[in-house]
Amino acid sequence: MRNFKYLNVIKAAVDRECPGVVSCADIVVLSGRDGVTMLGGPHFEVKTGRRDTTLHTTDKDADRYLLDADAGVDAFLDNMAKLNINTPQAVALIGSHTVGRVHCVHLVSRLYPTVDITLNATYAEYLKMRCPSPHPDPKAVKYARNDPITPMRFDNNYYKNVMQMKGLLRLDNALYLDPRTKPYVQRMAKDNSYFFQQFVEGMSILTEHNVLTGNKGEIRKHCEWVN
């Protein structure tokens, strides 16, 4: 995960009040939930009591679980099914792309040497302005926002963009083109409350997957390394 500095700021504040009680794992889940709410998304209850792993992990470990930037619908649905997340819940979870940004290094394969045929042509020209080189510096902060209309609002605009073929990642547009997921994209584009309902259901499953509780694991003193 990036931006652990913020996680540690929260951890330090919590530990001043109740040292050694709240895990970094709980802080990740709670801050994620609250971030969604602060941006206009749904507020939902999450369980607490997670403990932190005693294994040192790296970004390479995370990459084993995260989808590649060019992943398609098959890989996406298979990945979600392994977590017992069904299709509408999965489509809602990917709706979190309504906020945030994608770095150019993950976009250029859709723009160069030729533009991906599933990408809106006008939008592709805009993206080329954001990412003018087919070989961007991976350390440079060059990016495009997931949703250029309401970039800091957690809403269903992501689905409206996707229906216009304005999704940043290959998977985004593919969700509208695939008959298994298209009906849910269409419904969520029309019904924000349905999007929120399915998102909360998916998050409830996701945040309770493979957690450590009881005497397993530890409560870390610092979120970037084991005690």
Side-chain angles (χ1 to χ4, degrees):
M1 289 181 61
R2 299 183 182 91
N3 293 323
F4 255 102
K5 58 186 178 183
Y6 300 116
L7 198 63
N8 286 318
V9 169
I10 299 170
K11 174 67 172 172
V14 172
D15 275 358
R16 283 195 294 270
E17 299 298 324
C18 43
V21 175
V22 182
S23 69
C24 298
D26 271 352
I27 292 173
V28 168
V29 171
L30 291 166
S31 58
R33 185 274 309 272
D34 291 349
V36 167
T37 304
M38 290 170 68
L39 293 176
H43 179 84
F44 49 97
E45 296 299 320
V46 294
K47 294 179 181 178
T48 53
R50 297 168 189 78
R51 289 170 66 85
D52 302 312
T53 181
T54 55
L55 299 176
H56 176 70
T57 54
T58 67
D59 55 351
K60 291 182 176 61
D61 295 300
D63 284 342
R64 291 192 292 113
Y65 297 95
L66 295 173
L67 287 175
D68 184 81
D70 280 336
V73 177
D74 285 340
F76 171 63
L77 292 181
D78 287 347
N79 205 43
M80 292 293 102
K82 292 175 184 175
L83 301 172
N84 293 318
I85 293 172
N86 64 28
T87 300
Q89 292 164 351
V91 173
L93 287 176
I94 210 72
S96 59
H97 285 181
T98 188
V99 295
R101 59 194 185 183
V102 175
H103 289 263
C104 288
V105 69
H106 298 304
L107 292 178
V108 291
S109 66
R110 301 191 70 200
L111 302 173
Y112 305 101
T114 58
V115 173
D116 183 340
I117 60 172
T118 68
L119 195 57
N120 179 289
T122 303
Y123 193 53
E125 291 305 311
Y126 163 74
L127 292 179
K128 282 186 173 182
M129 292 174 57
R130 299 292 304 174
C131 305
S133 170
H135 305 291
D137 180 354
K139 296 182 179 178
V141 186
K142 290 186 177 294
Y143 62 86
R145 293 199 177 275
N146 286 341
D147 177 7
I149 308 301
T150 55
M152 295 303 292
R153 184 79 182 170
F154 195 94
D155 57 21
N156 64 341
N157 214 56
Y158 163 80
Y159 302 102
K160 298 174 184 178
N161 292 335
V162 164
M163 290 176 66
Q164 299 176 59
M165 297 290 100
K166 294 181 178 180
L168 286 186
L169 299 178
R170 198 177 304 276
L171 174 63
D172 296 328
N173 288 350
L175 290 174
Y176 183 58
L177 298 173
D178 192 293
R180 294 170 294 179
T181 50
K182 182 176 182 176
Y184 302 111
V185 171
Q186 292 174 312
R187 183 170 177 183
M188 291 177 194
K190 293 179 180 178
D191 189 345
N192 198 57
S193 61
Y194 176 69
F195 163 43
F196 283 4
Q197 174 197 349
Q198 294 299 316
F199 179 82
V200 169
E201 288 182 10
M203 283 297 290
S204 296
I205 297 169
L206 191 63
T207 57
E208 295 175 24
H209 175 73
N210 200 28
V211 299
L212 300 176
T213 58
N215 294 323
K216 297 179 181 178
E218 65 184 16
I219 304 295
R220 289 189 180 183
K221 295 181 174 67
H222 192 284
C223 293
E224 289 184 82
W225 50 75
V226 298
N227 293 340

